[in-house]
Amino acid sequence: MASPAEDVSGTLDGKVAIVTGAARGIGAATVTHLCRLGARVAVSDRDGDGAHRLAELLVAEGHDAAGFVCDVSDRGSVEAMVADVAGRWGGLDLVDHNAAWTDFRTDLDATDVDLDTWDRVFRTNATGALHLVRAGVPLMEARGGGAFVFISSGSAAIGEHARVSYGVSKAALEQLARHVATRYGRHGIRCNVIAPGFVLTDSAARGVSEVGRIRLADQNPLGRLGTPEDIAHVVGFLLSDRAAFLTGQVIRVDGGLTIAPRLAGHDD
Ligand SMILES: NC(=O)c1ccc[n+]([C@@H]2O[C@H](COP(=O)([O-])OP(=O)(O)OC[C@H]3O[C@@H](n4cnc5c(N)ncnc54)[C@H](O)[C@@H]3O)[C@@H](O)[C@H]2O)c1
């Protein structure tokens, strides 16, 4: 028998949260969810227009949100954004590093990958998180603690024929999370990773054909693709005190795709 859904509204009341890459896709669903949990939310993105537009919608719904332009691959841009957020709301408690970038046309295999692509992917996906940690940890320490979530990918844990930069950068991000969890745990700071499976956002849809999407859904033990909300709900949990004894972990929010028997060559 289904148990009544737990009411989680208010679990982030009064917390100040930054979500990077928040103008669309999983990041947009995440800022919306964190607002509903009661957080004051910085909608941060390289796409400033998109960030401001979404923040205005959230404010119109009665939430406390604001848009910030920030390129996470640029240390100065991250430092300025974090300082602006802390200035606006008096501190910082929570960070979700969701922004990521790659280019399927140039992020190829190890012998053919474009090195400018490799650099940019790394600066965005992995070094961007380092900038956020450097700027965020002192502010979290000043509040007695805080929490980070980094959004990785199933690509960090499997062998793939292409997009070598993306997979390697996400694996680096996961190791950075284990470092942050270990180094700053005694300072009340937790750090966890979500590794999504295929989530139907506009950019993910561009990388996979309709036939590929049907096959991916069919291979999934739950028989469907992920939604941005599937990820957002787990971010909300990991950033809340309900996950107070959870740190340094990679949570695979993929409907079981990575343990699916069909990937191991079985039909059923
Ligand atoms: N969608 C999926 O199937 C899937 C699967 C595994 C992992 N992920 C991960 O989930 C996260 C979100 O994915 P999505 O599909 O919503 O992506 P998306 O491409 O729809 O959105 C990414 C956002 O990041 C922003 N961004 C890119 N580079 C940036 C930079 N340098 N600075 C600031 N913002 C920047 C973009 O403007 C965009 O708004 C990413 O980390 C991605 O790697 C997604």
Side-chain angles (χ1 to χ4, degrees), residues 67-115:
F68 295 84
V69 193
C70 172
D71 178 347
V72 293
S73 69
D74 178 323
R75 180 180 173 187
S77 180
V78 172
E79 287 174 350
M81 181 271 292
V82 171
D84 285 351
V85 170
R88 180 185 179 96
W89 284 301
L92 176 67
D93 304 289
L94 312 170
V95 173
D96 172 29
H97 179 45
N98 166 84
W101 183 83
T102 193
D103 182 340
F104 293 114
R105 294 162 306 174
T106 52
D107 191 2
L108 302 170
D109 59 24
T111 47
D112 289 327
V113 63
D114 171 66
L115 288 181

Side-chain angles (χ1 to χ4, degrees), residues 20-28 44-48 50-51 69-74 77-78 97-102 120 123-125 128 150-155 163 166 170 173 194-206 208 226 228 231 253:
T20 66
R24 63 176 196 227
I26 293 170
S44 175
D45 205 291
R46 190 183 51 177
D47 167 13
V69 193
C70 172
D71 178 347
V72 293
S73 69
D74 178 323
S77 180
V78 172
H97 179 45
N98 166 84
W101 183 83
T102 193
R120 181 171 167 191
R123 276 189 285 113
T124 306
N125 302 2
F150 298 159
I151 306 298
S152 176
S153 165
S155 297
R163 55 176 196 172
Y166 183 77
K170 293 294 195 179
L173 183 63
I194 293 174
F198 189 86
V199 175
L200 200 52
T201 60
D202 288 347
S203 63
R206 273 197 298 278
V208 182
I231 309 303
V253 186

Side-chain angles (χ1 to χ4, degrees), residues 213-226 254-257 260 262:
R213 274 178 247 159
I214 292 167
R215 201 173 54 234
L216 276 170
D218 187 48
Q219 284 172 340
N220 195 297
L222 296 182
R224 67 171 176 89
L225 302 176
D254 65 359
L257 185 66
R262 287 185 189 194

